[in-house]
Amino acid sequence: MVALDRWVVSPATPQGQRLGIPGSGMGRISTLAPLLAPAILVRGVGACRRSRLDALLAWGLKPSSHRAEAIAAERGLPLWRCEDGFLRSIGLGPEGPPLSLVVDDLGIYYDANHPSRLEQLIPQPLGAHQLARAQALRQLWRRERVSKYNASPESPPPPGRYVLVVDQTFGDLSIRHGMADGESFQTMLNAALANHPDCLVLIKTHPDVAAGRKRGCLALGDPLADRLRLCADGGHPTALLEQAEAVYVVTSQLGFEALLWGRPVHCFGMPFYAGWGLTHDHRPAPLRRRDHQPSLEQLLHAALIDYPRYLDPHRLQPCGPETLIRAIGLQRRRRLALPSRIEAFGFKPWKQPIVRRYLPGARIRFRRRHGRPGSTARCLAIWGRDPGRGVALRLRCSPPPQLLRIEDGFLRSVGLGANLIAPISWVVDRSGIYYDASTPSDLESLLAGHRFSDGERRRAAALRRRLLEAALTKYNLPAPPWTRPAGVARVVLVPGQVESDASIRYGAPGLRTNLQLLQAVRVAEAEAWIVYKPHPDVVAGLRQEGSAAADLLQWCDELLVEGAMDQLYRQVDAVHVLTSLSGFEALLRGVEVHTWGLPFYAGWGLSHDRLACPRRGRPLQLDELVYGALIAYPLYVSRSSGLFIEPEQALEELAAWALEPPQRLGWWRSLFRHWGRWKERIGSNTARTGPL
């Protein structure tokens, strides 16, 4: 028989082990192949009977496993049983395939009547490094507030003292194979009531029961007894486990999670974590477990580190449990910060899938830009600053709905938004928008009031170093290098902007055009060599310049059509802007920056500002600005997985993206790419607020 632990941890033979999957349902799991990599999967009954195989795979003890058992017996091959890991996924169904898997060569973890590989791993002694890792993993599990499934909001705990009683779905295989039956549930409930006469007894139904797909095991009367309450919202269990005085289970995994939260656990069956002296067991443990007294760290190390295999949801490559816990924890935090229902106005069809990626978990209804919100709408989403007519009317109602303003983040893509290149970051602002200096934004409020920690500053400094090493900017366009003129004492860069851009309308109350900016810079920097660089959307012919090139040339020494921005920043002495993000990018590189409008980075003591904002004035360190603008404020979504990522991961993806060959524009991109310029030409008052 092939040893499972050797197969799990060692590299495969050059050809890879060949594993047969006769079951069609198991073969349709989209993440199965990467979870079992580098093994070669052989699918189908016929192929499993004919092909050379090293083992057969079955899904637990389900009836579908019988065919794999028969073929394994016929061919004299090992049978390995697979199941979801204890940290399975974000959601359920095809959109939430398993991200962890257990493969057991002895049995399966929920079958207490027979040995399993997990059962043999639990008593294994831990070295100092293993012990420390198990303790850190427990803290990480609790800090990220994860569970087996992670798509739902947390169920709110009731006020006062309570104990938690966990129901399961009728017919769950872990009940029968966990030395329990239907009567075990009523016995459990009676014990909870008797053992805790001064506590509320909260019964948590299984999510599938709450959704009406299955029925539970507890037969509850109507109405419930005085001390009984039912939690049937299908919610995430973390808050309930965290605050319960005790947790009562038959064989549910929530008993294991309750141990991680430090709760007393009463078991009325024999799940994998019972029978080791860590739980209050109401059934005798199998003889195999009675001679062992493992610690909680040993149980955790076996169940979460040694036994399962994990998949990085972004790269679809093997990873450790820590990576997956952090990834799922981030999804939970981002999703739970969003309203459950949103009406989105003015988003074109090509952009609607992007909206869904940045607002996952919410039920989104798309409407025309000037459409009227529904009478029950509580949250509206728009692009940029200006609402359509219907939204503007609704905002005058009392109470007004919540308004989400969406814009590109400061590290956007490789390529122009006007070419419909999907962004890797967006901002979703609930109070304003970062380029509108007339009112506060979430970013401004954060910069003005947040008490930055040393850890936040260190993280921002590390991110800034990585950004500079990768030479990344907002659009990361390829361009030829530029050489500083010889013998020139001072070189000043003036980046042009699209003059119809909303950041000028709402962030530049004085100078409003590129020509006016150049004229002012020429007066202020009379002896300097002034380089003017038009906005890349203008160079690409997607937006209008606003001033003729001949007029601009009268006020600068050089008009640079193409030039890599990162390389330019490293060769100039100063950058003058109205509100351009180029000023922020220059600050990151230690370049002297002069602002003539009120961009989000002005007013904090880091730039030379011609205008002042009365809400600003708090002196910030550069890395405090970086933390607010690049870490706390934006949302980042992976190009590969469509899931939320951290800014550090976004930098890695952008750096890899920049090495890819340029994208060819499809017909639909070609059709829509000139939309902004066409609207400018017809003088529409509903021009886009920035490059989309």
Side-chain angles (χ1 to χ4, degrees):
M1 186 173 187
V2 181
L4 176 68
D5 53 353
R6 184 177 177 186
W7 172 75
V8 169
V9 300
S10 66
T13 59
Q15 295 76 28
Q17 291 190 333
R18 298 173 63 85
L19 306 178
I21 305 175
S24 58
M26 185 175 175
R28 286 195 295 268
I29 298 174
S30 62
T31 51
L32 190 65
L35 278 166
L36 293 170
I40 298 170
L41 304 186
V42 178
R43 293 178 170 87
V45 175
C48 288
R49 286 201 163 107
R50 295 188 306 268
S51 302
R52 179 182 66 79
L53 298 176
D54 295 291
L56 270 296
L57 298 183
W59 195 262
L61 294 170
K62 286 189 173 183
S64 60
S65 67
H66 298 332
R67 183 168 289 168
E69 294 168 0
I71 296 174
E74 291 170 11
R75 301 193 58 182
L77 291 171
L79 177 71
W80 297 344
R81 298 188 188 274
C82 301
E83 266 288 354
D84 292 329
F86 306 122
L87 176 69
R88 181 193 183 275
S89 57
I90 299 165
L92 292 171
E95 295 182 357
L99 296 170
S100 68
L101 185 78
V102 302
V103 185
D104 200 312
D105 65 330
L106 299 180
I108 194 63
Y109 69 87
Y110 58 76
D111 183 6
N113 299 296
H114 301 92
S116 71
R117 179 60 64 182
L118 176 58
E119 192 178 71
Q120 294 195 357
L121 289 170
I122 289 171
Q124 297 301 311
L126 301 180
H129 174 74
Q130 293 171 310
L131 178 63
R133 186 183 180 191
Q135 292 169 339
L137 190 63
R138 181 187 177 196
Q139 295 303 314
L140 181 65
W141 180 285
R142 292 166 58 160
R143 186 169 65 248
E144 298 293 341
R145 307 182 73 79
V146 296
S147 183
K148 184 172 185 177
Y149 308 109
N150 296 278
S152 303
E154 292 186 7
S155 297
R161 300 171 57 205
Y162 68 94
V163 295
L164 185 66
V165 171
V166 182
D167 196 10
Q168 293 175 242
T169 57
F170 183 82
D172 186 336
L173 290 174
S174 75
I175 300 171
R176 174 160 54 94
H177 295 285
M179 300 182 175
D181 54 29
E183 294 182 2
S184 304
F185 288 85
Q186 196 61 46
T187 303
M188 170 181 65
L189 180 58
N190 293 338
L193 288 165
N195 294 344
H196 305 274
D198 299 326
C199 286
L200 179 74
V201 175
L202 182 68
I203 301 171
K204 179 165 177 55
T205 64
H206 192 279
D208 282 341
V209 176
R213 291 189 291 266
K214 296 182 179 179
R215 64 187 179 97
C217 293
L218 274 171
L220 301 174
D222 189 16
L224 297 177
D226 289 343
R227 284 199 299 122
L228 290 180
R229 294 291 184 275
L230 189 64
C231 177
D233 59 4
H236 199 260
T238 300
L240 301 180
L241 296 174
E242 183 180 27
Q243 299 187 34
E245 299 216 353
V247 176
Y248 283 70
V249 299
V250 175
T251 60
S252 170
Q253 182 184 310
L254 290 191
F256 172 62
E257 296 181 26
L259 289 175
L260 300 185
W261 282 97
R263 302 297 91 195
V265 176
H266 296 256
C267 295
F268 289 77
M270 191 51 55
F272 71 88
Y273 51 86
W276 306 103
L278 298 170
T279 53
H280 303 279
D281 300 327
H282 296 258
R283 290 184 181 275
L287 291 175
R288 304 181 306 275
R289 303 185 189 181
R290 294 181 190 175
D291 294 335
H292 303 284
Q293 294 289 318
S295 65
L296 178 59
E297 287 80 10
Q298 286 174 277
L299 174 68
L300 185 154
H301 199 283
L304 295 182
I305 297 174
D306 290 333
Y307 192 45
R309 297 169 66 86
Y310 296 95
L311 200 62
D312 183 320
H314 309 300
R315 298 181 177 89
L316 293 184
Q317 295 175 353
C319 69
E322 295 87 351
T323 297
L324 183 57
I325 289 173
R326 291 190 186 96
I328 290 180
L330 178 64
Q331 310 315 307
R332 286 196 54 75
R333 289 193 300 277
R334 294 288 186 258
R335 287 176 177 228
L336 296 180
L338 297 169
S340 59
R341 294 172 181 265
I342 300 172
E343 291 192 10
F345 292 80
F347 291 92
K348 294 294 184 283
W350 71 269
K351 203 165 189 176
Q352 292 176 8
I354 305 175
V355 176
R356 295 191 186 280
R357 290 175 68 177
Y358 278 88
L359 304 176
R363 296 181 61 182
I364 302 174
R365 182 174 183 179
F366 290 100
R367 293 181 174 272
R368 295 182 180 274
R369 172 167 168 71
H370 296 292
R372 300 193 66 174
S375 59
T376 60
R378 295 292 179 265
C379 181
L380 315 178
I382 63 172
W383 180 264
R385 171 63 177 78
D386 294 325
R389 290 188 293 271
V391 172
L393 286 172
R394 182 60 187 276
L395 292 174
R396 297 172 191 164
C397 299
S398 181
Q402 182 181 17
L403 183 65
L404 305 180
R405 295 180 175 89
I406 299 173
E407 260 288 358
D408 285 331
F410 308 128
L411 292 170
R412 187 193 184 280
S413 57
V414 175
L416 297 174
N419 275 337
L420 312 190
I421 304 297
I424 204 168
S425 71
W426 267 3
V427 299
V428 179
D429 200 307
R430 291 164 172 78
S431 57
I433 195 66
Y434 67 86
Y435 57 72
D436 182 2
S438 65
T439 60
S441 67
D442 290 352
L443 176 57
E444 183 183 273
S445 299
L446 174 77
L447 295 175
H450 182 67
R451 296 182 62 182
F452 294 93
S453 67
D454 290 340
E456 290 169 341
R457 283 187 284 266
R458 285 194 298 270
R459 183 183 178 190
L463 183 71
R464 179 166 55 87
R465 286 193 297 271
R466 292 173 64 178
L467 188 150
L468 300 189
E469 289 167 2
L472 293 172
T473 57
K474 182 174 183 178
Y475 294 119
N476 304 290
L477 298 167
W482 176 82
T483 302
R484 179 186 176 112
V488 174
R490 182 172 173 83
V491 176
V492 170
L493 173 64
V494 179
Q497 292 182 246
V498 177
E499 293 180 359
S500 61
D501 193 272
S503 73
I504 294 179
R505 282 206 307 278
Y506 298 104
L511 306 181
R512 306 300 291 268
T513 69
N514 294 315
L515 181 59
Q516 290 173 347
L517 175 62
L518 270 176
Q519 290 169 338
V521 174
R522 173 53 75 195
V523 173
E525 302 269 11
E527 303 300 322
W529 181 273
I530 298 177
V531 179
Y532 175 72
K533 186 177 184 302
H535 192 279
D537 280 351
V538 173
V539 174
L542 301 173
R543 307 294 289 272
Q544 291 183 317
E545 175 66 82
S547 301
D551 295 333
L552 296 168
L553 273 170
Q554 293 181 37
W555 300 93
C556 67
D557 298 288
E558 184 176 352
L559 194 152
L560 183 64
V561 174
E562 290 185 299
M565 291 301 293
D566 179 77
Q567 191 253 358
L568 272 171
Y569 295 136
R570 298 174 190 274
Q571 297 192 76
V572 302
D573 300 294
V575 174
H576 284 251
V577 299
L578 284 173
T579 60
S580 172
L581 184 65
S582 301
F584 176 62
E585 294 175 346
L587 284 177
L588 299 182
R589 292 156 174 83
V591 180
E592 177 186 319
V593 173
H594 296 256
T595 67
W596 296 79
L598 284 169
F600 70 87
Y601 50 86
W604 311 107
L606 297 169
S607 53
H608 302 274
D609 306 321
R610 284 355 189 240
L611 302 176
C613 176
R615 299 184 307 274
R616 305 178 193 176
R618 174 193 186 190
L620 293 178
Q621 298 178 28
L622 176 58
D623 289 322
E624 292 172 341
L625 174 66
V626 171
Y627 184 86
L630 296 184
I631 296 176
Y633 188 48
L635 301 176
Y636 296 90
V637 167
S638 170
R639 297 177 67 216
S640 56
S641 68
L643 300 174
F644 291 116
I645 53 177
E646 298 284 6
E648 292 83 357
Q649 295 169 287
L651 288 192
E652 293 178 9
E653 290 202 9
L654 280 170
W657 190 359
L659 298 176
E660 297 176 5
Q663 282 189 8
R664 292 185 61 185
L665 295 179
W667 66 267
W668 64 274
R669 292 181 189 270
S670 299
L671 178 66
F672 283 106
R673 69 194 294 263
H674 292 281
W675 177 262
R677 187 170 184 180
W678 176 76
K679 291 175 75 174
E680 289 176 329
R681 282 179 172 174
I682 65 171
S684 171
N685 291 325
T686 58
R688 286 179 176 167
T689 61
L692 305 188

